[in-house]
């Protein structure tokens, strides 16, 4: 990591003309986000299409009695816990904008604090998700149980994977900051990470409503 | 020189089109989607003809224009400098509008036809359940209590309403000359198709959705018969297996004489003797090399015993004999024209080969080869035993 | 114009880049990557073509026994998959790579290393999927792999695993490339090249990138479900769990229909480049060509269910999808008529490139018209899954995409290699292709209308299909001859073809102002563009005087960036720097080019190994090895600069 | 991939400083962010609260209400945190276009699978 993220101050940069005055990487990340709309759109569609079509329980919002064993499995989603984790993710977005702002100002202290805070909040969210997944498994819902199990775990799991990638990205930025300090000219590198991070948050906003709250 | 080329090209294109058209008219097309023999088929026909007609007009206009342009504007002495037109708004609007109008001409009848053909079937229709299996067809008449396989009987003049289901993967139910159109059989769905057959005859049916190894071998036959013949057929199907020795006299009463030039159904069973069927109905599939069973005579009595004591009963139903439901119902197998889902003619030679090594006759077949010592074979039958069983099955009229 | 400039040898132009295999593995030059795409795709075209020939030999006569049912099913699956994902798409990608930077006046793409990564992922995915052949496990589920046939209970063996994993890998490549080209086109156009001055090929490529970026996520999800079902026991397509097979169909075709426009729009773009040049006229209705392309792409998202008219979606859905599908004929028709308008009043020179372009206009129309016939749902019930459909898509794919790509290949070959392809062999190639193609695919219309289902490895005699199949097979043999002639021409011309010079055809756009093959930095000085047809403006301003967006047609635009006037030389001043007799190296000119690196290759390798590891539960350690290679390479890539440190 | 890009002309040190300066003008400030966070929190609280009020969950307005609330959150994050409101229209096009098409596709799929129709009849 010695070379660290090359900054825009490259002498070569002067040879590169840009048609719009925008950063290439920022255009690319927005294109990527546009593309991700379809990725999550497909996953969400699948979840909604399969809603109420599982042959066996457990179900998200209603209890289910296994006709074979007589055992009753209660509605599986845990709204209070997920509300908290949703709030955590929202707050991580706030930390993210503050981190970006600090980098832009050249404020080394706060850039580190907020970058780390964002990553930790993200990790907290992941912790909640781990807790949620394990408790679901204990209650008898796995990816193999029914259509709900498959579509739920894979949708939220892919979201979780995005959060994980984001946390790793944030930590990388944090370590670069520790090592050589992020300068204002690095702002674009933080900016694209932030865009990604907020997008992941936005996806969760949709998931929280569509999966957890709508019965 | 280029002029030469385009002239040659036009000539080539013309010859091709004309000869293809000629060939199209002069030869037999027993599975054509045109001139289908049902109300449904005719509705589709009308629409398809309209589409073809419009497509032909656009084709001639566009290709004609193209040929004109490349001939007229080829570089040659006297045409050395291009006119630098770069666009013409009015023209461009024109060639946006004209296609739009043409499309409206097909969109309107299309939507009308959709709503007509996808309406619910009339209440008094004959209900038929079609169940797709890898790679054969099960036909059930729930109101009549009849279950059969690979050969479908329908009375003319009465609407047949099909409930299409599948036991495994997707298939598609297609009788080109009867219905014209097809419908897919979709797992966990029941699909619908209905039409009223208008002529008595026999038709080819196909599976039209790729369904694995033997998709090509998943065919069936449809017999459209008069209502009286249909009733007779139903009555026969409902009776238990009728073991008919070589020359048993017809059991039933007199039936209406069949129209000339049409195959007449056997009066006893309401089914058709193979010899009367047109060539494209009787399968010509060659047996794979080495599949032939040398023994040609079998004992039906012994065969019945062997059938009961071997794996056969696990999969096949013969009314009063065995309850298996994995494979086709064989209660009246001897009266069918084909075996293996329309793949081979139903005779001793093919039956024997089939029982001995079905997999070689029909790749992927879920029926294990019953011949002794064959790789993957389940059965322990020697050639004589196979001949006996074949004789028994042939006798199940 | 300095059209007679001698061609520099390749070595000179690439002095700085390492040579040999290592040079190719580490290259980040869009032109070399473009060539890699080109050679790979042409090779795979031969593979897919041989598969087609085997199919045709099997169907030559009724009840053919040339191959087994299983082999046949593998053949058509791999033929379709190969031709679509490993031939037409990478051939288009070859042109995107080679041409987009040249046409917009850039030195490279926005992310040169990502570009190399895309190629390596593509070729590894293609090799992986074809590896199935060598262990008797080539995919056999059809190119659209309908569930539940492709789920574990019905396809227990490795066949489908190769398909599923191969598609995932190929998808990564397309997505990465799409973001790259989107950025390149948005942000790296030369000063003055606003969108309505962009060469039409670049425009169509631009639209295609949107389609790629927005369609591939959907197939990724659909295939991921299948992969998880097969490997980890999820239930997405598990019929026993109540799954709905239509989910796969909707997701697949939501991708699949945009995909067919991904396959055709680049070819449309190439033809729109070729026809004006050989008519000696500007493209007729350039803005309308652009808008119709956009409209085709947009409408392409609202028609997917026309592949599912037989599944029983109900009358309302059938009507809606039928009508939206018909609507696409309008913008496509506009394109056809505008090409005719381009030729109208021109002085047509029938070079091979021009012939192929005209071939597209003639043949695509036929495919388009049968497409419109399918778009009427009740009538499609009769056509669907019959050879009538096979006829349709070969007319649009071979008659459209392939013809257009061949046109582009003959046209741009001199730019890529510095030499012209033989016109004599080229004409042979064209005429045999034209005849062979019609002889192969036109009879399929009749076979289909006479009831021949598709994807059958054998058919019975007496069905009336013999003659059509016989003709088709002979046509395929003619095509094989034409392909061999093409291969010979391609190889021969590389060494023996006539020297091309900068601008052999009298081109109009930036790529024709620089040497052939271009130096690695493309443009010694980034030009300032004041016109849609800069070269024509310079050569014969009188002719373009009333064409909008040309120098004479409107005020030239001054461009300043960050307070500095960019481009010392207004285009197309022909200085020694821009078109020197012996091109200078980047170093001599003081231009910094991205340095070669192996990291994209190793990252792609890691990714591929990771996916391959999925194929068997015993191979999971291989997957982790892949993850490790991937992460290490990615990190060292991301943390190292694009260009050498100074 | 962060580094694999060629920087824009403005990206030398001086320019970056200018950029930072401009940024302060064109981007929302700490105050805005605080407000945004507060509003987001309130909406979330509202959503969860609604979930526990039987009178609302049983009413036909429950689903539309939730959809509106989450759409509002979605929009706020995108406009302010992702500063789309202040940024180039290129980004707006790259995001909004696909988003609209994707949402349309999701809705059409729900209709095609009968999930939406059922809901409409059921309420
Ligand atoms: C390059 C790829 C390509 C292109 C461009 C197209 C273009 C079109 N396709 Fe095609 N299509 C495929 C590739 C392509 N297709 C493939 C691969 C399949 C099969 C997949 C499989 O099952 O394996 C398929 C299948 C397919 C089906 C499903 C059939 C079935 O399985 O039942 C349908 C149905 O509507 C269809 C329609 C159309 C239409 C309306 C167009 C339109 O875009 C065509 C528009 C063009 C014109 C109409 C010609 C020019 C216009 C004029 C000259 C103007 C005047 C014209 C009129 C007024 C009509 N296509
Ligand atoms: C761009 C796409 C493309 C192209 C170019 C082609 C090209 C050809 N296709 Fe293909 N085809 C598809 C896309 C394409 N196809 C698709 C998507 C399917 C559907 C698959 C499915 O159902 O899943 C299909 C299906 C398909 C079928 C239907 C199979 C079936 O349903 O059972 C047939 C049948 O004839 C066929 C034939 C051909 C032929 C003869 C060619 C010819 O044009 C090929 C010409 C090329 C050659 C003849 C190669 C010559 C090479 C040599 C001679 C080697 C020389 C070697 C050296 C010099 C080293 N194709
Ligand atoms: Cu059943 Cu194909
Ligand atoms: Cu389509």
């Amino acid at each position: 990591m010695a070379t660290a993220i090359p900054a825009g101050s490259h002498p070569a940069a002067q040879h590169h003309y840009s048609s719009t005055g925008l950063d290439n990487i920022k255009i690319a990340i927005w294109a990527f986000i546009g593309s991700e709309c379809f990725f999550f759109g497909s996953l969400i569609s699948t979840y909604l299409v399969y809603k109420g079509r599982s042959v066996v329980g457990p179900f998200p919002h209603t209890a289910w009695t296994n006709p074979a064993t007589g055992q009753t499995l209660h509605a599986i989603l845990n709204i209070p816990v997920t509300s908290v984790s949703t709030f955590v993710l929202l707050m991580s977005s706030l930390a993210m904008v503050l981190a970006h702002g600090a980098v832009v100002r050249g404020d080394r202290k706060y850039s580190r604090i907020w970058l780390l805070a964002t990553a930790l909040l993200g990790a907290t969210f992941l912790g909640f998700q781990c807790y949620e997944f394990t408790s679901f498994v204990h209650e008898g819902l796995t990816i193999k149980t029914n259509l709900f199990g498959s579509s739920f775990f894979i949708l939220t799991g892919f979201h979780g994977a995005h959060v994980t990638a984001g946390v790793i990205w944030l930590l990388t930025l944090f370590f670069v900051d520790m090592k050589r300090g992020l300068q204002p000219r690095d702002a674009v590198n933080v900016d694209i990470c932030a865009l990604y991070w907020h997008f992941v948050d936005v996806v969760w906003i949709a998931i929280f409503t569509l999966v957890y709250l709508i019965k | 020189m280029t002029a030469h080329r385009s002239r040659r090209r036009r000539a080539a294109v013309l010859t091709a089109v004309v000869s293809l058209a000629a060939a199209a008219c002069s030869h037999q097309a027993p599975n054509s989607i045109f001139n289908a023999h049902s109300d449904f088929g005719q509705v589709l026909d009308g629409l398809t003809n309209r589409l073809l007609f419009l497509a032909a007009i656009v084709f001639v206009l566009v290709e004609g224009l193209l040929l004109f342009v490349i001939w007229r504007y080829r570089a040659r002495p006297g045409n050395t400098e291009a006119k630098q037109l770069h666009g013409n708004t009015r023209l461009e609007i024109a060639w946006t509008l004209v296609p739009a109008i043409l499309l409206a001409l097909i969109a309107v009848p299309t939507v009308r036809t959709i709503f007509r053909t996808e309406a619910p079937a009339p209440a008094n229709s004959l209900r038929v359940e079609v169940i797709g299996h890898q790679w054969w067809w099960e036909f059930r008449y729930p109101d009549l209590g009849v279950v059969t396989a690979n050969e479908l009987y329908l009375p003319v003049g009465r609407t047949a309403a099909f409930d299409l289901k599948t036991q495994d993967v997707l298939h598609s139910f297609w009788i080109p000359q009867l219905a014209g159109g097809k419908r897919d059989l979709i797992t966990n769905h029941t699909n619908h198709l209905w039409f009223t057959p208008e002529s008595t005859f026999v038709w080819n049916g196909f599976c039209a959705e790729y369904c694995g190894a033997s998709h090509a071998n998943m065919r069936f036959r449809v017999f459209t018969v008069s209502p009286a013949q249909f009733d007779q057929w139903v009555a026969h199907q409902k009776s238990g297996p009728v073991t008919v020795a070589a020359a048993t006299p017809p059991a039933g009463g007199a039936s209406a004489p069949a129209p000339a030039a049409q195959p007449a159904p056997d009066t006893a069973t309401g089914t058709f003797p193979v010899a009367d069927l047109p060539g494209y109905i009787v399968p010509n599939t060659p047996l794979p090399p080495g599949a032939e069973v040398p023994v040609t005579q079998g004992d039906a009595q012994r065969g019945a015993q062997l059938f009961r004591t071997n794996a056969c009963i696990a999969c096949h139903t013969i009314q009063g004999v065995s309850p298996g439901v994995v494979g086709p119902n064989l209660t009246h197998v001897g009266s069918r024209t084909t075996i293996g889902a329309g793949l081979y003619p139903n005779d001793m030679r093919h039956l024997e080969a089939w029982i001995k090594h079905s997999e070689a006759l029909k790749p992927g077949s879920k029926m294990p080869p019953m011949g002794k010592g064959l790789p993957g074979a389940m059965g322990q039958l020697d050639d004589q035993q196979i001949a006996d069983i074949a004789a028994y099955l042939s006798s199940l009229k | 114009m300095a059209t007679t400039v001698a061609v520099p040898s390749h070595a000179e132009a690439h002095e700085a880049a390492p040579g040999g295999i290592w040079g190719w593995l580490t290259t980040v030059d869009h032109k070399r990557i473009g060539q890699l795409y080109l050679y790979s795709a042409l090779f795979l075209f031969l593979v897919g073509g041989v598969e087609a020939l085997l199919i045709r030999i099997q169907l030559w006569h009724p009840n053919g026994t040339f191959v087994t049912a299983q082999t046949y099913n593998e053949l058509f699956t791999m033929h379709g998959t190969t031709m679509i994902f490993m031939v037409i798409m990478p051939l288009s990608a070859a042109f995107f790579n080679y041409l987009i930077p040249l046409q917009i006046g850039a030195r490279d793409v926005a992310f040169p290393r990502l570009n190399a990564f895309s190629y390596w992922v593509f070729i590894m995915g293609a090799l992986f999927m074809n590896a199935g052949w060598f262990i008797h496990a080539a995919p056999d589920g059809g190119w659209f792999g309908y569930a539940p046939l492709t789920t574990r209970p019905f396809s227990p063996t490795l066949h489908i695993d190769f398909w599923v994993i191969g598609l995932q890998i190929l998808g990564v490549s397309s997505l990465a490339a799409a973001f790259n080209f989107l950025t390149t086109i948005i942000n790296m156009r030369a000063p003055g090249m606003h969108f309505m001055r962009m060469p039409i090929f670049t425009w169509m490529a631009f639209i295609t990138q949107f389609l790629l970026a927005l369609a591939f996520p959907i197939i990724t999800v659909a295939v991921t479900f299948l992969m998880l079902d097969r490997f980890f026991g999820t239930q997405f397509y598990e019929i026993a769990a109540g799954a709905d097979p239509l989910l796969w169909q909707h997701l697949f075709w939501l991708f699949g229909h945009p995909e067919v426009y991904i396959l055709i729009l680049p070819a449309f773009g190439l033809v729109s480049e070729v026809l004006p040049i050989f008519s000696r006229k500007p493209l007729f209705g350039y803005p309308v060509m652009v808008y119709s392309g956009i409209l085709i792409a947009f409408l392409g998202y609202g028609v997917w269910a026309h592949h599912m008219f037989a599944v029983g979606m109900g009358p309302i859905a059938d009507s809606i999808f039928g009508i939206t599908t018909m609507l696409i004929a309008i913008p496509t028709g506009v394109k056809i008529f505008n090409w005719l308008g381009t030729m109208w009043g021109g002085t047509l020179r029938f070079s091979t490139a021009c012939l192929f372009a005209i071939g597209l206009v003639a043949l695509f129309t036929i495919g388009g018209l049968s497409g419109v016939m399918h778009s009427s749902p009740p009538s499609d019930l009769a056509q669907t899954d019959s050879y009538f459909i096979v006829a349709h898509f070969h007319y649009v794919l071979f008659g459209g995409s392939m013809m257009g790509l061949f046109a582009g290949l003959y046209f741009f070959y001199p730019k890529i290699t510095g030499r012209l392809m033989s016109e004599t062999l080229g004409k042979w190639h064209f005429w045999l292709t034209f005849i062979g193609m019609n002889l192969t695919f036109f009879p399929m219309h009749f076979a289909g209308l006479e009831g021949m289902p598709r994807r059958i490895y054998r058919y019975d005699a007496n069905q009336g299909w013999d003659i059509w199949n016989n003709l088709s097979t002979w046509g395929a043999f003619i095509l094989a001859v034409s392909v061999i002639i093409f291969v010979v021409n391609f190889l021969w011309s590389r060494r023996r073809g006539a020297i091309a010079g900068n601008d052999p055809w009298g081109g109009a756009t930036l790529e024709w102002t620089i040497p052939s093959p271009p130096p690695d930095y493309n443009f010694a000085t980034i030009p300032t563009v004041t016109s849609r047809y800069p070269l024509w403006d310079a050569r014969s301003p009188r002719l373009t005087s009333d064409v909008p967006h040309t120098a004479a047609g409107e005020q030239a635009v001054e461009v300043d960036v960050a307070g500095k006037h960019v481009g010392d030389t207004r285009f197309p001043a022909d200085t020694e720097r821009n078109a020197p007799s012996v091109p200078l190296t980047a170093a001599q000119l003081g231009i910094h080019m991205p340095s070669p690196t192996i990291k994209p290759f190793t990252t792609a390798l890691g990714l591929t190994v990771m996916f391959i590891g999925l194929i068997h539960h015993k191979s999971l350690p291989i997957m982790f090895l892949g993850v490790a290679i991937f992460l290490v390479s990615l990190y060292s890539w991301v943390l190292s600069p694009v260009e050498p440190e100074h | 991939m962060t580094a694999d890009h060629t920087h824009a002309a403005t990206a030398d040190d001086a320019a970056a400083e200018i950029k930072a300066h401009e940024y302060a003008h064109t981007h929302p400030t700490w105050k805005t962010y605080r407000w945004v966070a507060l509003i987001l929190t309130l909406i979330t609280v509202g959503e969860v609260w609604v979930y526990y009020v039987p009178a609302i969950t049983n009413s036909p307005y429950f689903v539309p209400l939730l959809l509106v609330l989450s759409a509002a959150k979605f929009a706020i994050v995108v406009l302010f945190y992702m500063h789309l409101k202040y940024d180039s229209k290129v980004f707006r096009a790259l995001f909004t276009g696909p988003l609209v098409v994707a949402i349309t596709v999701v809705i059409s799929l729900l209709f095609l699978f009968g999930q939406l129709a059922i809901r409409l009849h059921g309420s």
Side-chain angles (χ1 to χ4, degrees), chain B residues 1-2 5 9 13 20-21 23-24 27-34 40 44 47-48 51-52 55 58-59 62-63 65-66 68-71 73-75 79-88 91-92 95-96 99-100 103 106-107 110-111 113-115 117-118 134 167-170 172 174 176 180-184 186-189 191 193 204 206-217 219 221 279-286 342-344 361-363, chain C residues 63 69-70 73 76 140-142 144 146-149 154 239 242-246 249 279-286 288 309-312 314-316 318-319 323 326-327 329-330 334 336-338 340-341 343-350 358 361-363 365-366 369 372-373 376-386 427 430-431 434 442-443 446 448-465 467-468 471 542-543 546-548:
Chain B
M1 179 192 98
T2 33
R5 281 245 160 74
R9 173 173 146 175
V13 170
L20 285 180
H27 90 158
Q28 220 191 3
N31 306 310
S32 164
I33 65 162
F34 293 108
F40 179 80
L44 264 52
L47 194 59
T48 309
L51 288 162
L52 258 182
V58 177
F59 171 80
V62 173
E63 307 289 348
L65 197 61
L66 178 64
F68 171 75
V69 166
I70 54 187
W71 174 75
Y73 295 107
R74 68 194 190 280
N79 181 25
T80 47
E81 196 160 302
K83 288 190 219 64
Q84 297 300 308
L85 17 107
H86 52 81
N88 180 324
L91 260 180
E92 283 164 301
W95 60 54
T96 309
L103 290 171
I106 56 175
T110 291
V111 173
T113 313
I114 291 175
F115 280 89
T117 50
E118 295 186 24
Q134 276 180 325
Q167 194 69 38
D168 36 53
V169 302
L170 312 187
S172 189
W174 191 24
K182 55 188 82 66
R183 271 267 176 246
D184 293 353
I186 305 212
T187 328
N188 292 340
H189 280 251
N191 247 335
L193 178 75
N204 280 324
F206 304 94
C207 174
E209 181 70 64
Y210 176 59
C211 51
S214 261
H215 160 64
N217 301 326
R219 310 175 195 161
R221 301 287 184 273
Y280 58 85
I281 293 292
V282 185
N284 290 296
T285 321
L343 199 54
Y344 296 95
L361 269 69
K362 187 175 184 180
Chain C
N63 288 312
Q70 177 60 32
N73 295 343
F76 74 70
D140 59 354
F144 42 76
Y146 272 3
L149 180 63
F154 297 103
I239 57 177
D244 192 337
L246 296 189
Q249 297 195 10
S279 308
R280 318 303 304 151
K281 281 179 64 200
L283 183 65
F284 192 91
Y286 169 99
V288 177
F309 284 147
V311 306
I316 297 174
D318 281 353
S319 304
I323 288 172
M326 290 173 194
L327 286 180
I330 297 174
V334 165
I336 300 272
F337 293 123
N338 276 20
L340 290 172
M343 291 187 272
W344 188 279
T347 48
L348 286 166
R349 286 179 301 152
F350 298 105
I358 295 173
V361 179
L363 300 177
T365 302
I366 298 176
L369 290 174
V372 170
M373 290 191 60
S376 173
S379 181
D380 185 57
L381 291 181
Q383 304 163 31
T384 189
D385 277 316
S386 77
K427 299 240 156 92
F430 172 75
W431 284 109
F434 188 83
F442 209 80
F446 296 108
L449 293 176
E450 292 183 1
M452 181 165 168
R454 63 191 281 207
R455 298 172 157 188
I456 53 173
Y457 77 96
R458 67 173 169 192
Y459 53 93
D460 213 346
N462 300 332
Q463 308 297 309
W465 305 332
I467 172 164
W468 311 128
L471 290 174
R542 191 177 53 82
L543 289 181
D546 65 338
V547 181

Side-chain angles (χ1 to χ4, degrees), chain C residues 23-80:
Chain C
W24 287 102
L25 289 179
T26 57
T27 185
V28 290
D29 178 351
H30 72 97
K31 295 178 290 302
R32 299 188 92 193
I33 294 169
Q35 288 180 66
L36 285 173
Y37 268 113
L38 179 63
Y39 305 141
S40 315
L42 287 178
F43 173 74
L44 285 156
F45 175 61
L46 297 182
V47 174
V50 168
E51 284 155 1
L53 277 182
L54 299 178
I55 289 176
R56 281 318 324 164
I57 293 173
Q58 166 74 5
L59 297 180
W60 200 343
H61 301 294
N63 288 312
T65 51
F66 182 70
V67 293
T68 62
Q70 177 60 32
T71 307
Y72 184 88
N73 295 343
E74 292 169 10
L75 281 173
F76 74 70
T77 302
M78 282 307 285
H79 164 68

Side-chain angles (χ1 to χ4, degrees), chain B residues 9 31 36 42 54 56 59 117 140 165 190 216 223 233 240 266 270 280 296 300 315-317 348 370:
Chain B
R9 173 173 146 175
N31 306 310
Q42 280 155 18
L54 257 152
F59 171 80
T117 50
R140 295 166 171 265
K165 303 173 189 174
T190 300
F223 299 86
W233 177 80
D266 182 289
Y280 58 85
T296 53
C315 296
H316 294 284
T317 298
M348 274 297 281
M370 306 305 279

Side-chain angles (χ1 to χ4, degrees), chain B residues 250-338:
Chain B
S255 68
Q262 290 233 347
D266 182 289
T267 42
T269 59
T271 55
F272 292 77
V274 177
D276 292 356
L277 296 176
Y280 58 85
I281 293 292
V282 185
N284 290 296
T285 321
L287 281 176
E292 209 99 22
V293 178
V295 184
T296 53
Q297 286 296 316
D299 180 310
Q301 218 93 64
R302 266 206 320 266
Q305 198 52 40
L306 282 164
F307 187 90
R308 261 176 253 260
T309 53
N310 271 284
C312 318
I313 50 168
C315 296
H316 294 284
T317 298
I318 291 180
Q319 218 170 301
V321 176
S322 62
V325 290
V326 176
N329 184 312
L330 298 180
T331 309
H332 299 281
V333 64
S335 65
R336 297 199 188 127
T337 47
T338 63

Side-chain angles (χ1 to χ4, degrees), chain C residues 38 41 60 93 106 110 210 213 259 265 347 380 392 545 567 601 615 645:
Chain C
L38 179 63
W60 200 343
F210 275 102
E259 168 72 11
L265 285 178
T347 48
D380 185 57
H392 159 68
S545 62
F601 175 85
I615 202 152
E645 298 284 350

Side-chain angles (χ1 to χ4, degrees), chain A residues 29-213:
Chain A
I29 200 86
W30 273 109
F32 172 73
I33 289 173
S35 165
E36 289 271 89
C37 290
F38 276 82
F39 183 80
F40 282 106
S42 312
L43 287 167
I44 291 174
S45 309
T46 304
Y47 178 84
L48 294 177
V49 160
Y50 275 161
K51 206 169 164 171
R53 292 210 184 183
S54 297
V55 238
V56 296
F59 298 137
H61 297 286
T62 47
W64 176 71
T65 308
N66 187 340
T69 60
Q71 184 196 9
T72 297
L73 300 169
H74 60 82
I76 203 143
L77 294 180
N78 187 337
I79 303 300
V81 166
T82 314
S83 304
V84 175
S85 72
T86 303
F87 177 73
V88 167
L89 201 58
L90 272 181
M91 287 307 108
S92 81
S93 267
L94 177 63
M96 186 75 244
V97 287
L98 296 177
H100 180 226
V103 173
V104 170
R105 287 195 313 273
D107 184 339
R108 299 272 292 272
K109 182 170 154 219
Y110 278 102
S111 68
R112 285 172 202 178
I113 291 179
W114 289 123
L115 275 176
L116 192 62
T118 316
L120 288 180
L121 286 167
T124 313
F125 175 85
L126 288 173
F128 273 106
Q129 196 167 39
C130 283
Y131 163 76
E132 185 189 32
F133 282 12
T134 36
S135 68
F136 285 5
V137 170
H138 283 303
E139 289 169 45
L141 184 77
T142 69
I143 52 167
K144 303 182 185 187
T145 311
N146 54 14
L147 295 177
F148 163 64
S150 296
S151 55
F152 171 82
F153 279 116
I154 300 309
L155 167 59
T156 52
F158 264 114
H159 178 266
H162 277 72
V163 176
T164 312
V167 169
I168 295 174
W169 190 349
L170 284 162
L171 289 176
T172 310
L173 286 175
F174 172 74
F175 284 120
V176 172
D177 200 3
M178 292 301 282
K179 191 121 191 164
R180 72 146 168 79
L182 291 170
Q183 310 293 324
R185 62 172 190 239
D186 296 312
V188 64
N189 285 318
V190 180
D191 197 11
I192 55 166
C193 178
L195 287 174
Y196 171 83
W197 189 257
H198 296 310
F199 178 72
V200 171
D201 185 13
V202 153
V203 170
W204 187 255
I205 291 176
I207 292 178
F208 183 58
T209 304
L210 294 172
V211 174
Y212 287 87
L213 295 183

